[in-house]
Amino acid sequence: HNKINSDKYQLSERELICLYLASKGLIRKEIADKLNISDETAKFYLKNARTKLGARNTTHAVALAIDQLLFK
């Protein structure tokens, strides 16, 4: 699986995994299905990731994660 560097932004592993899956083109329902969680839980993780990264939306959060090399 992907190595995660989350110390700087204090993202949880689940938040980063959701963001990583979004970076691969999965929509929220697909992320929820893949992780065996509810759509609302996936929404919660993505919202937390956006907030912690200071992103305006999920696309922006993915771009910031890639730029900050959070996915390794």
Side-chain angles (χ1 to χ4, degrees), residues 41-59:
T41 301
K43 181 179 180 180
F44 174 78
Y45 287 140
L46 288 167
K47 179 181 178 289
N48 285 349
R50 288 193 306 269
T51 300
K52 291 175 181 181
L53 288 166
R56 297 183 63 158
N57 53 47
T58 299
T59 303

Side-chain angles (χ1 to χ4, degrees), residues 54-69:
R56 297 183 63 158
N57 53 47
T58 299
T59 303
H60 186 211
V62 167
L64 288 169
I66 291 168
D67 184 58
Q68 296 296 313
L69 303 175

